[in-house]
Amino acid sequence: MRVEIIAIGDELTSGRILNTTSGFAARQLFEAGYEIYAMHTIGDTPALIGEALKRAIERVDAVLVTGGLGMTDDDLTNEAVSMALNRPTMPNLEVLANIRRHLDSITSAPVGQLEKLAWLPEGAEVLNPGSRMAGYMLVHDGTPVYFLPGVPRQMKQLLVEHVLPSLATWGNDHKLSTYQRIFRIFNLPEAEVNRRINTLDLNKAAHIGYYPVFPEVHLSLTIRDREAENAEKLFTSCKKAIDTVLGDAIYGHDRDDMETIVGQLLHEHNLQLAVGESCTGGLIAQRITNVPGSSRYFLGGVVSYANSLKTAYLGVDQRLIDQHGAVSREVAEAMASGVLMKSGADIGLAVTGIAGPEGGTEEKPVGTVYVGIATPGGNWVSKFQFDGDRQQIREMTAQTALDLVRKYLLQS
Amino acid sequence: MRVEIIAIGDELTSGRILNTTSGFAARQLFEAGYEIYAMHTIGDTPALIGEALKRAIERVDAVLVTGGLGMTDDDLTNEAVSMALNRPTMPNLEVLANIRRHLDSITSAPVGQLEKLAWLPEGAEVLNPGSRMAGYMLVHDGTPVYFLPGVPRQMKQLLVEHVLPSLATWGNDHKLSTYQRIFRIFNLPEAEVNRRINTLDLNKAAHIGYYPVFPEVHLSLTIRDREAENAEKLFTSCKKAIDTVLGDAIYGHDRDDMETIVGQLLHEHNLQLAVGESCTGGLIAQRITNVPGSSRYFLGGVVSYANSLKTAYLGVDQRLIDQHGAVSREVAEAMASGVLMKSGADIGLAVTGIAGPEGGTEEKPVGTVYVGIATPGGNWVSKFQFDGDRQQIREMTAQTALDLVRKYLLQS
């Protein structure tokens, strides 16, 4: 089943706002087994909106339109739909009632403007009638067309709660059972992932996709079959084969991320982590604390950007820095043990390196990074040489450091 | 002059990778004075690529195509262009020579595959002949069409260094002088920005756009005129008027960001900053250290996620935490003075708050945040109540904290 996505708004075509909703929709739809034929981003121009809509209705099985449903003068989607599909707009009484109730509670609002939200093209079925900002569906020439607001939070909620369930019961394609999994892989190049998968000689019905997403590689396994039992059986055997050849290079699945997986492992082992960061400048701590509930296993740490802070906060001996340099195996280990001891954590993680663009030398070029792990059972330091710009080196360093903690926890 | 952007790649239509290059291109082109007519994202499907390309050539003045130029079997852009525009592919000798030189230095590469990169549609003018991954331009029916690789770094560099200069000398429209500025505003709602601008009664030739980009508001001023002198005069007077009504709510212009502006001010004042972060968990330090050269004015700091680290590293008295709670005016001030004293910085910045989703109480709901600034001249603490989810509260907190440092530096 083929779907086309149309995003509307001058703020998107000016590049002022990055269109994230279309990508979100594409991913949700793709994971639910649909094919995305094309995605368009156009300005608030009725003629262009109408043309894009009509072409999409002709050539695909379902259309998703986002944006341009608001109350200001430059929100023109309903007007464009009305003209292009020859469906006069009419007030939706339920939405109108919600708006009027809302207006009663405030006095100074421009009534006419707000009521604009309730005037929808003929045939519109409102997806969320309890709301003032309506998403709706139209069936035109047998093709379902969904209209959602452009505000990311509203759009995402309506897509997941209304559009996907509605599409799932539409047409014939829902009789095809779809099984899909994304394997999230780190620290194995795409070519090597490819090589290992090719040794498996998987059944032709198993569709494999490769997607490098810096700094990771994602691999998708998709199986579709009219018989759910067949699909599930093949899916299970393929999944097992992939797990076998890729092993612990697979750090997670579907929407996992590294910081969530490391957090789960720390929580399961009932261990607490603290960090000492130099070149990443807080990026590791920031990623870990992005996860709600991370205070259960993360104490915090030190961003020792200046050498004086490595001494003052992490207890690194100044002579160690003088002798070996701040970017060295010895200092990485001292930072990790320093934060371990003073914080009272079970694991101390430290990174020191040269993120660039300046500060590199012949002996230690930009991208040289040491990662230290200190535990009551012993310390480890690993050296890396990363490529890329400042931001990429910092991201690779943070991801690699978290991955080392993950591997330590898997083995302990 | 109207431009259409076409991004090609199955990884984009599956939503696996968010298309950031089209948004980047739209912004660059918009800021250079072009109008973006439409942006399309399509899979590696030759028929669809050809159709989108032909329609764009018919209706706009320039076309930008990204992606599908690589060496693997699913890179089909050149083939699609060749078929749609009836231009046989031919090897570009210079690019071919670069590839062969590269192949001489490695032995195991698949020669045929790599040489595919050099076969371009007839009439292609290579933008970067020194490279193995060529971007190129074709003029078809009088319309310039630019083809760039989809890899963000290569694409962005070619766009800025080759496409924009080439477009600037194309057609008639370059005779229209364009002056444009983006004002980056923080801590003033869009409606209030709007109200203040409306009091100015600006010349109708001055085009004003509003773009809320969480957590900021961006305002664009654009003036186009056949007479450069007129345009510049009007631009200067409008800019001055806007500066007057918005004052220091404007923190920067065009591509500035808050951390860069704060860094410049610290450097100008020859002052060093250190931070103590609780709810932001390293986000402030991470943003500051994203800026190359930040070691000149940033020492580092402490991520005191657990209360024990507020005591151990920042010297916050445990009784203060017991009496007032970790999220309090008193603890924010103690954290800021603590990091100031121990790090030897000139300014200590500290944040403590409740980012949620859990941890809120009736007295201190989710979103309660204290920001403390400590200097040898005195300490200040400000209280905030932010809305939004965990990530938004963390971002608002970091941005607000940096903005407070900016305002302190502007006044000192």
Side-chain angles (χ1 to χ4, degrees):
Chain A
M1 190 164 175
R2 301 202 301 185
V3 182
E4 209 157 324
I5 301 171
I6 304 171
I8 297 168
D10 285 341
E11 73 281 11
L12 303 174
T13 50
S14 68
R16 180 82 17 223
I17 292 189
L18 184 64
N19 177 1
T20 55
T21 52
S22 294
F24 177 85
R27 180 167 187 167
Q28 293 282 341
L29 289 163
F30 178 80
E31 288 182 1
Y34 302 101
E35 180 192 341
I36 311 303
Y37 188 69
M39 294 145 79
H40 314 279
T41 306
I42 54 185
D44 297 293
T45 312
L48 191 54
I49 297 171
E51 188 202 312
L53 186 59
K54 280 200 282 193
R55 283 184 67 77
I57 289 173
E58 273 166 27
R59 65 185 180 187
V60 296
D61 307 301
V63 184
L64 179 67
V65 181
T66 63
L69 299 181
M71 56 181 264
T72 62
D73 291 342
D74 57 358
D75 288 309
L76 299 169
T77 298
N78 287 339
E79 190 183 318
V81 173
S82 170
M83 284 183 348
L85 306 185
N86 196 19
R87 291 170 177 260
T89 57
M90 333 223 293
N92 180 289
L93 299 181
E94 208 168 344
V95 176
L96 198 60
N98 292 327
I99 291 171
R100 295 218 167 121
R101 255 198 306 280
H102 174 69
L103 288 177
D104 284 345
S105 66
I106 51 172
T107 49
S108 63
V111 177
Q113 283 287 78
L114 250 180
E115 289 197 353
K116 180 184 170 196
L117 296 173
W119 286 72
L120 307 179
E122 191 179 9
E125 284 174 52
V126 173
L127 299 171
N128 51 340
S131 156
R132 297 194 303 276
M133 181 53 131
Y136 63 90
M137 177 177 114
L138 267 183
V139 181
H140 193 84
D141 289 347
T143 304
V145 188
Y146 299 88
F147 295 87
L148 304 183
V151 179
R153 217 178 334 180
Q154 296 172 348
M155 181 274 178
K156 290 177 183 177
Q157 194 183 344
L158 280 165
L159 180 81
V160 171
E161 293 179 9
H162 294 277
V163 177
L164 292 179
S166 160
L167 266 179
T169 57
W170 190 268
N172 298 317
D173 236 44
H174 69 281
K175 286 179 190 151
L176 217 55
S177 291
T178 301
Y179 285 77
Q180 185 169 59
R181 170 143 299 181
I182 312 295
F183 298 81
R184 299 185 73 134
I185 298 155
F186 180 64
N187 205 17
L188 211 56
E190 186 183 3
E192 174 61 14
V193 175
N194 197 328
R195 193 192 64 74
R196 292 196 193 176
I197 295 296
N198 285 342
T199 63
L200 290 176
D201 201 17
L202 293 173
N203 188 311
K204 292 277 173 244
H207 180 74
I208 299 283
Y210 298 92
Y211 310 92
V213 182
F214 181 85
E216 307 179 356
V217 174
H218 296 179
L219 183 151
S220 69
L221 164 67
T222 312
I223 287 161
R224 294 199 176 98
D225 200 302
R226 298 221 162 260
E227 299 295 327
E229 208 182 323
N230 287 352
E232 192 181 354
K233 215 163 136 188
L234 180 56
F235 179 71
T236 308
S237 75
C238 290
K239 205 157 54 75
K240 205 169 148 186
I242 293 171
D243 281 336
T244 308
V245 290
L246 296 178
D248 70 359
I250 300 170
Y251 78 78
H253 297 101
D254 300 330
R255 282 173 226 186
D256 289 339
D257 54 40
M258 186 67 87
E259 49 270 37
T260 305
I261 294 295
V262 170
Q264 283 168 1
L265 285 169
L266 285 165
H267 187 56
E268 279 166 23
H269 286 75
N270 199 22
L271 294 174
Q272 302 234 298
L273 178 71
V275 299
E277 300 188 56
S278 186
C279 60
T280 46
L283 179 56
I284 298 175
Q286 192 262 117
R287 284 184 57 177
I288 294 172
T289 59
N290 254 342
V291 182
S294 44
S295 58
R296 290 177 303 178
Y297 49 78
F298 184 65
L299 294 177
V302 171
V303 178
S304 56
Y305 213 57
N307 286 344
S308 60
L309 264 59
K310 295 186 179 69
T311 312
Y313 281 119
L314 294 173
V316 177
D317 194 323
Q318 180 62 45
R319 287 170 297 182
L320 219 52
I321 298 176
D322 294 341
Q323 275 174 34
H324 304 282
V327 177
S328 63
R329 184 173 290 278
E330 291 76 7
V331 170
E333 184 176 353
M335 287 170 67
S337 351
V339 79
L340 177 78
M341 281 191 288
K342 182 132 181 184
S343 69
D346 304 297
I347 303 174
L349 171 68
V351 298
T352 178
I354 301 161
E358 303 192 345
T361 62
E362 204 167 312
E363 196 198 347
K364 292 174 186 171
V366 168
T368 305
V369 170
Y370 292 88
V371 179
I373 292 184
T375 71
N379 302 338
W380 297 266
V381 179
S382 311
K383 183 184 176 181
F384 300 91
Q385 182 62 51
F386 297 128
D387 281 335
D389 61 19
R390 179 179 178 84
Q391 202 188 329
Q392 289 172 319
I393 290 170
R394 281 159 55 99
E395 280 179 31
M396 268 302 280
T397 303
Q399 180 86 354
T400 301
L402 289 169
D403 196 43
L404 287 173
V405 173
R406 179 179 74 89
K407 286 184 174 150
Y408 166 76
L409 291 168
L410 285 178
Q411 282 152 22
S412 67
Chain B
M1 190 163 173
R2 300 201 301 184
V3 183
E4 208 157 323
I5 301 172
I6 303 171
I8 297 168
D10 285 340
E11 72 282 12
L12 303 174
T13 51
S14 68
R16 180 81 18 223
I17 292 190
L18 184 64
N19 177 0
T20 56
T21 53
S22 292
F24 177 84
R27 180 167 189 166
Q28 294 282 341
L29 289 162
F30 178 81
E31 288 182 1
Y34 302 100
E35 181 192 340
I36 310 303
Y37 188 68
M39 294 146 79
H40 314 277
T41 305
I42 54 186
D44 297 293
T45 312
L48 191 54
I49 297 172
E51 188 202 313
L53 185 59
K54 281 200 281 192
R55 284 185 68 77
I57 289 173
E58 273 166 28
R59 65 185 179 186
V60 295
D61 307 301
V63 184
L64 178 68
V65 181
T66 64
L69 299 180
M71 58 179 263
T72 60
D73 291 341
D74 56 359
D75 289 309
L76 299 169
T77 299
N78 287 339
E79 190 183 318
V81 173
S82 170
M83 284 186 347
L85 306 185
N86 196 18
R87 291 169 177 263
T89 59
M90 333 223 293
N92 180 291
L93 298 180
E94 207 166 344
V95 176
L96 197 61
N98 292 328
I99 292 172
R100 293 219 169 122
R101 254 197 307 281
H102 173 68
L103 287 177
D104 283 346
S105 66
I106 49 173
T107 48
S108 63
V111 177
Q113 283 287 79
L114 253 180
E115 291 198 352
K116 178 184 168 192
L117 296 174
W119 287 73
L120 307 179
E122 191 179 9
E125 285 175 49
V126 174
L127 300 170
N128 52 340
S131 156
R132 296 194 302 277
M133 180 53 130
Y136 63 90
M137 177 175 112
L138 267 184
V139 181
H140 193 85
D141 288 348
T143 303
V145 188
Y146 298 88
F147 295 87
L148 304 183
V151 179
R153 212 175 349 169
Q154 296 172 350
M155 181 273 176
K156 291 176 182 178
Q157 194 184 344
L158 280 165
L159 180 81
V160 172
E161 294 178 9
H162 295 276
V163 177
L164 291 179
S166 160
L167 267 178
T169 58
W170 189 267
N172 297 317
D173 235 45
H174 70 282
K175 286 179 191 153
L176 216 55
S177 291
T178 300
Y179 285 78
Q180 186 169 58
R181 171 142 299 182
I182 312 294
F183 297 82
R184 300 185 71 134
I185 298 154
F186 181 63
N187 205 19
L188 211 57
E190 186 182 4
E192 174 61 15
V193 175
N194 196 331
R195 194 192 64 73
R196 293 195 193 177
I197 295 296
N198 284 343
T199 64
L200 291 175
D201 202 18
L202 294 173
N203 187 313
K204 294 276 174 246
H207 181 74
I208 298 282
Y210 297 92
Y211 309 93
V213 182
F214 181 86
E216 306 178 358
V217 174
H218 296 179
L219 183 150
S220 69
L221 164 68
T222 312
I223 288 162
R224 294 199 175 99
D225 200 302
R226 297 222 162 260
E227 300 296 326
E229 210 181 320
N230 287 351
E232 193 181 354
K233 217 162 134 186
L234 181 57
F235 179 71
T236 308
S237 75
C238 290
K239 206 158 53 75
K240 208 169 147 186
I242 293 171
D243 281 336
T244 308
V245 291
L246 296 179
D248 71 357
I250 300 170
Y251 78 79
H253 297 101
D254 300 331
R255 281 175 229 183
D256 290 339
D257 55 40
M258 185 66 86
E259 48 269 36
T260 305
I261 295 294
V262 169
Q264 284 168 1
L265 286 169
L266 285 165
H267 187 57
E268 280 166 23
H269 286 74
N270 199 21
L271 294 174
Q272 303 234 296
L273 178 71
V275 298
E277 299 188 57
S278 186
C279 60
T280 46
L283 178 58
I284 298 175
Q286 191 263 118
R287 284 183 58 178
I288 295 172
T289 58
N290 254 341
V291 181
S294 45
S295 59
R296 291 176 304 178
Y297 49 79
F298 184 65
L299 294 177
V302 171
V303 178
S304 56
Y305 213 59
N307 286 344
S308 61
L309 264 59
K310 295 185 179 68
T311 312
Y313 280 119
L314 295 172
V316 176
D317 193 323
Q318 180 63 43
R319 287 168 300 182
L320 220 52
I321 299 176
D322 294 341
Q323 274 173 36
H324 303 283
V327 177
S328 63
R329 185 172 291 277
E330 291 76 7
V331 169
E333 184 177 352
M335 287 170 67
S337 350
V339 79
L340 177 78
M341 283 191 288
K342 181 133 185 186
S343 69
D346 305 296
I347 303 174
L349 171 67
V351 298
T352 177
I354 302 160
E358 302 192 345
T361 62
E362 204 167 313
E363 196 198 347
K364 293 175 186 170
V366 168
T368 304
V369 170
Y370 293 88
V371 180
I373 293 186
T375 71
N379 303 337
W380 298 266
V381 179
S382 309
K383 183 183 177 181
F384 300 91
Q385 181 62 51
F386 297 127
D387 281 334
D389 61 19
R390 179 180 178 85
Q391 201 188 332
Q392 289 172 320
I393 291 170
R394 282 159 55 100
E395 280 179 29
M396 269 303 279
T397 303
Q399 180 86 352
T400 301
L402 289 168
D403 196 44
L404 287 172
V405 173
R406 179 178 74 90
K407 287 184 174 152
Y408 166 77
L409 291 168
L410 286 178
Q411 282 152 22
S412 67

